Amino acid sequence: MFEPMIDPKSFLMDLFDVAVSAADPDKIIKQYLPERPKGRLVIIGAGKASARMAECVEAHYGPCDGMVITRYGHERPTQKVNVFQAGHPLPDDASVRATQKIIDLANSLGKDDLVIALISGGASALLCAPVVGLTLKDKVELTQQLLSSGAPISQINAIRKYLSAVKGGKLASTIAPAKIL
């Protein structure tokens, strides 16, 4: 009988560690960052990796204005960017409050400002602003039903954008006339 020379669990853990290391924002983001703009440089983000990405952007530029929403337990030490924690995969009150703060920040931007949008997996749950007439409870119940239906996340997100005041390009419209990267 064939005996593996390498412990399969150790081998798979090594592969996992290599993949995570290769995806580290510190190794990827810097090469895509432009020079500082004439106006403000503002970080806006959501997702499980958004705080880590904000940390890396600030390592490049120094302290930046801005805010990101990440999952509970995924906070990172940033210099100036505010890191909010909220519910994932189901949004919660913290999701709604943090999203409103991002909307308020987006409304303050001008044409000389640059927003670096840091969006990663989980953003669709963490960035939560129900459309008028819909409550957070409604969104949570619908999300639970969609998740338990077995629908792929792409289809779940296609539905979420119609129930949101920020998804489907609506946050980008609020950010305008600032530039977005």
Side-chain angles (χ1 to χ4, degrees):
M1 178 167 186
F2 175 72
E3 291 290 325
M5 296 179 70
I6 299 173
D7 173 48
K9 184 176 180 179
S10 296
F11 176 71
L12 291 173
M13 287 304 298
D14 288 345
L15 285 177
F16 176 79
D17 291 341
V18 167
V20 168
S21 177
D24 187 339
D26 195 45
K27 295 178 181 177
I28 298 169
I29 289 179
K30 289 180 200 174
Q31 64 187 316
Y32 297 103
L33 296 175
E35 291 184 27
R36 265 195 178 270
K38 293 176 185 172
R40 290 188 298 168
L41 173 64
V42 178
I43 307 299
I44 290 179
K48 293 175 281 185
S50 64
R52 173 70 177 126
M53 291 188 290
E55 179 185 27
C56 295
V57 171
E58 284 190 317
H60 179 78
Y61 289 119
C64 297
D65 290 329
M67 53 191 65
V68 298
I69 309 170
T70 192
R71 182 181 183 174
Y72 293 112
H74 285 69
E75 73 277 8
R76 297 292 299 188
T78 57
Q79 298 173 50
K80 190 176 176 186
V81 172
N82 292 311
V83 177
F84 296 95
Q85 296 179 73
H88 179 276
L90 298 174
D92 59 11
D93 287 330
S95 306
V96 174
R97 286 190 307 272
T99 301
Q100 186 57 56
K101 289 180 183 293
I102 286 179
I103 292 168
D104 293 344
L105 176 59
N107 280 319
S108 75
L109 298 168
K111 66 180 179 64
D112 293 326
D113 298 332
L114 172 65
V115 171
I116 297 181
L118 303 174
I119 308 298
S120 66
S124 58
L126 293 162
L127 196 62
C128 182
V131 292
V132 174
L134 198 66
T135 67
L136 172 61
K137 182 181 177 198
D138 296 332
K139 283 195 78 166
V140 168
E141 288 175 1
L142 178 62
T143 300
Q144 286 174 318
Q145 291 172 3
L146 290 168
L147 290 171
S148 62
S149 76
I153 194 64
S154 60
Q155 291 179 356
I156 292 171
N157 288 342
I159 294 168
R160 282 176 167 164
K161 76 178 179 182
Y162 293 106
L163 308 174
S164 173
V166 290
K167 294 178 185 75
K170 296 173 196 138
L171 181 59
S173 293
T174 304
I175 290 170
K179 296 167 204 66
I180 304 172
L181 172 65

